Amino acid sequence: VRITNPPGFAAPEFARIAELSLATDLLPLLRNELIVRELRGREVTVRLARSSDGRGNWIFEPGARDAVDEQPRRFRADWRRIVVERGLIEYAGDASTHRFELEELTIDGLTGQPVRLALRGKLGEGRTYTAEATSAPLFELAAERPWPFDVRLVLPASVLKVSGTTRAASDMSTMRLAFDVSTADVREIGELLDLKLPAVGAAAIAGELDLSPG
């Protein structure tokens, strides 16, 4: 599967998937229902970039509709699981390119159920990291009430915990979270984020954040 970049970008491709498989129930399709038991992608590469005028290649314009178009049928989709095996996300900034690699990503409960995410990746030299995240059902994001989430990231020498709520209100979105980070080597976190952090050895930090536009 290949997804091309919009016009105005040097690289020809936005994303490439070496292999994509879909497990679904056939009979519900006759009732305009798509039940995706599992969508699995292998060797997924996504390259994020900005054009000279600042546009991001992850923003897609809607396609033009035919002049004669029948009333679209209502189609209900139920997503149960998404799996990515061996993924790479690249972001081309002004002067450098940041890379984020993962060995496996699994997301369960996308439609009407609490979301569960499990991530496993490599930092290099055989070292691995794991991440787990849970949240309320995605449809509750639009309910204009606090939407809870919880994240835990485990590195060989570091642990990051984040929990909080976000509220996507029509007047102003907000986020409140508490975080706790402890590490025996700050450079390890920098390696995960593709940043050069100073070698200050062991460190710990905890706090709370209230975020809102402006």
Side-chain angles (χ1 to χ4, degrees), residues 88-93 96-101 123 186-197:
L88 170 64
I89 300 175
E90 290 185 345
Y91 175 73
S96 61
T97 299
H98 299 281
R99 297 165 55 92
F100 179 77
E101 299 184 40
L123 293 174
V186 173
R187 293 174 299 179
E188 182 179 72
I189 297 179
E191 187 176 355
L192 175 69
L193 302 176
D194 200 14
L195 299 173
K196 291 184 179 180
L197 298 180

Side-chain angles (χ1 to χ4, degrees), residues 22 59 64 67 69 73 87 96 120 124 139 144-145 157 170 183 185:
L22 174 69
I59 301 175
D69 190 9
R73 296 187 300 173
S96 61
R120 176 171 54 86
F139 75 88
E144 295 199 3
R145 61 174 179 262
S170 57
T183 179
D185 188 353

Side-chain angles (χ1 to χ4, degrees), residues 46-97:
V46 178
R47 293 184 170 89
L48 307 177
R50 289 190 179 276
S51 63
S52 57
D53 58 2
R55 290 184 300 115
N57 65 342
W58 56 89
I59 301 175
F60 292 87
E61 298 294 335
R65 302 183 63 147
D66 295 335
V68 179
D69 190 9
E70 296 180 356
Q71 183 69 21
R73 296 187 300 173
R74 294 185 179 274
F75 205 87
R76 175 181 173 272
D78 184 355
W79 297 83
R80 305 286 177 83
R81 166 173 282 197
I82 294 178
V83 180
V84 175
E85 297 177 347
R86 296 191 297 277
L88 170 64
I89 300 175
E90 290 185 345
Y91 175 73
D94 295 334
S96 61
T97 299

Side-chain angles (χ1 to χ4, degrees), residues 100-196:
F100 179 77
E101 299 184 40
L102 59 91
E103 289 294 307
E104 185 175 76
L105 169 66
T106 302
I107 306 175
D108 290 301
L110 287 173
T111 304
Q113 300 292 327
V115 179
R116 298 180 302 276
L117 179 148
L119 173 64
R120 176 171 54 86
K122 288 185 177 180
L123 293 174
E125 301 178 356
R127 295 178 299 149
T128 62
Y129 68 88
T130 60
E132 297 178 351
T134 58
S135 76
L138 292 180
F139 75 88
E140 294 185 6
L141 266 172
E144 295 199 3
R145 61 174 179 262
W147 183 78
F149 61 89
D150 187 81
V151 180
R152 176 182 172 89
L153 172 65
V154 179
L155 304 168
S158 311
V159 177
L160 166 66
K161 302 175 184 178
V162 178
S163 61
T165 59
T166 182
R167 179 172 175 266
S170 57
D171 52 348
M172 184 174 65
S173 300
T174 58
M175 178 181 293
R176 305 187 67 180
L177 58 87
F179 64 91
D180 187 335
V181 185
S182 59
T183 179
D185 188 353
V186 173
R187 293 174 299 179
E188 182 179 72
I189 297 179
E191 187 176 355
L192 175 69
L193 302 176
D194 200 14
L195 299 173
K196 291 184 179 180

